[in-house]
Structure formats: structure tokens, C-alpha cells
Amino acid sequence: MIRQFIFSRLQRTSLLRMTLLSTAFLDELTIGFLIVGLPLVRDRLGLSYAQIGLLFSVGPLSGMIIDPFVNLLSDRGSKRWWIIGGLVAFALGFVLAGSTRNFGLLLVAFALIYPANGAGIGLSQAALIDSAPDDSERTMTRWTLSSSVGDLLSPLVVAAIVALGMGWTMLCWLAAGLCLATAMVLWFQRFPRITSTEDDEEHIGVRGILTGLRK
């Protein structure tokens, strides 16, 4: 009976919605790599506490500056390309973080990862709500559950990577691979077309975008 219930639920959930929901899992899993795996990159580059603090300051600051523009521009049409582009940039940030042996480039990687996360993950959540606004409570419940699973598994994956004798580079490459795989699945999905209203049309121009940003 439980099996039939789960199967019927999966049939009602499109591949697009399942993939967008999985980005919540991806978010907590991969960002957890940066936090739980911090000793690995600290030992590799010999980072000081001041440098570590700078890493986790530059990333959120970069996201705080770029995210509002991305959110406003993405409202002008389909969020499909913004989400896919964000996931690809997310992957590139992890590739750069995993391959560099220079603190400056690691700083650039963190500055890329955070706004890319906002585009790829944050807009996935927005697209889910846009596609079914009447089902937003259930959507957010599923989103929170998916995030919790990712948050739980992140330290376990880091521990497994270390136990297998692999380190920071493999951890970052794993995160990049998961991001690219998700982007690839979304590439072949058709996003629902959002019908614009007269109020939406007023915010399409540059003046409307600046007004929305100021608000």
C-alpha cells in the first residue's frame, strides 16, 4: 500500500519539479563540503584564521551584491537559463576551488560560488512556486525535507572521501559533477511559460528594474 502511494505521488510529480526540488539537496550537500571540508583546504594551502574568515566574508558579500540584480532580471522571462547558468557557474567555482593552490584564486572561487548558488538554487525555488502557486506550502515542506537530507549527508560524504584517501580536490570535483549533472537534466526540460500581467510589464524596462531594486 505504501509502495502504491509513493508510486502514485511520483507519477503526479513531473521530472522538472523533481529536479528543481533536488537542488535544495544539492545546495546543502555541496555548501556543506566547503564548511566540513575546511580543514582539508586549510592544510593544503596553509591558511590562517584571517584568510579563512576572509573566504567566508567575500562569498556572502558577493552574493549580497549580485543576487538582487539576478533576481530582478530573471523576472523578465523564463528562469530556465538563469538556473542552468547558475548551476554551471556553481560547478566552475568548485572546479576552481579544487584545482588551485593559490589563496587569491580560492578567494575568486568563493566569490563565484555564492552568487551562482543564489541563481541556480534560489531561482529553482522561485520557479517551483511560480509553477504551482496554490501548492506553495507543500512545495516548501518538500524543499525543507530535501535540504535536511543534504545537510545530514554532507559530513558523511566528506568523511567517506577522507576515509578513501582522497581530499579537497576530489570533494570539489564531486560537487562540480553533481551541479553539472543537474544542469544537464534541466537542459532537456521544458519550463512552463509564465504569463505576464500589466503590472509585470511595468517592471520590464530599466526604470522598472531600478525601482524594484530600490524597493
Side-chain angles (χ1 to χ4, degrees):
M1 183 176 179
I2 296 177
R3 182 180 177 182
Q4 291 178 346
F5 174 78
I6 295 174
F7 184 72
S8 65
R9 287 290 180 182
L10 289 175
Q11 282 185 318
R12 295 176 188 176
T13 305
S14 67
L15 178 59
L16 175 61
R17 288 186 63 82
M18 290 178 62
T19 308
L20 291 175
L21 277 171
S22 73
T23 61
F25 168 83
L26 179 68
D27 175 29
E28 295 297 332
L29 181 71
T30 55
I31 293 297
F33 289 174
L34 300 180
I35 299 171
V36 182
L38 186 61
L40 299 175
V41 69
R42 180 198 61 192
D43 295 341
R44 176 178 177 175
L45 300 182
L47 300 179
S48 66
Y49 282 104
Q51 289 175 317
I52 292 172
L54 187 59
L55 283 176
F56 287 99
S57 298
V58 167
L61 180 61
S62 174
M64 185 175 66
I65 294 172
I66 297 175
D67 284 350
F69 292 97
V70 172
N71 291 336
L72 287 169
L73 291 171
S74 66
D75 283 338
R76 301 178 67 182
S78 173
K79 293 179 174 61
R80 178 173 186 259
W81 295 114
W82 291 98
I83 294 171
I84 294 174
L87 289 171
V88 171
F90 203 24
L92 289 176
F94 274 105
V95 169
L96 181 59
S99 58
T100 184
R101 293 186 176 274
N102 179 280
F103 173 71
L105 291 179
L106 185 63
L107 205 62
V108 172
F110 271 65
L112 174 61
I113 285 172
Y114 277 79
N117 176 275
I121 311 301
L123 293 183
S124 292
Q125 184 185 81
L128 281 169
I129 299 299
D130 288 345
S131 64
D134 296 333
D135 199 27
S136 58
E137 291 184 1
R138 183 177 299 176
T139 297
M140 290 309 302
T141 300
R142 292 173 177 173
W143 182 274
T144 303
L145 179 60
S146 181
S147 297
S148 299
V149 174
D151 192 37
L152 176 65
L153 289 182
S154 184
L156 297 178
V157 173
V158 174
I161 291 291
V162 174
L164 291 172
M166 296 177 283
W168 175 254
T169 298
M170 178 56 65
L171 202 61
C172 290
W173 277 94
L174 174 61
L178 292 172
C179 293
L180 289 177
T182 305
M184 184 66 67
V185 174
L186 290 174
W187 180 279
F188 295 101
Q189 300 303 308
R190 179 176 297 179
F191 279 57
R193 179 173 297 180
I194 305 299
T195 57
S196 59
T197 63
E198 292 182 2
D199 292 337
D200 295 331
E201 295 293 335
E202 294 178 1
H203 293 82
I204 289 180
V206 175
R207 183 179 298 178
I209 292 175
L210 294 177
T211 300
L213 182 62
R214 186 167 58 252
K215 290 181 179 179

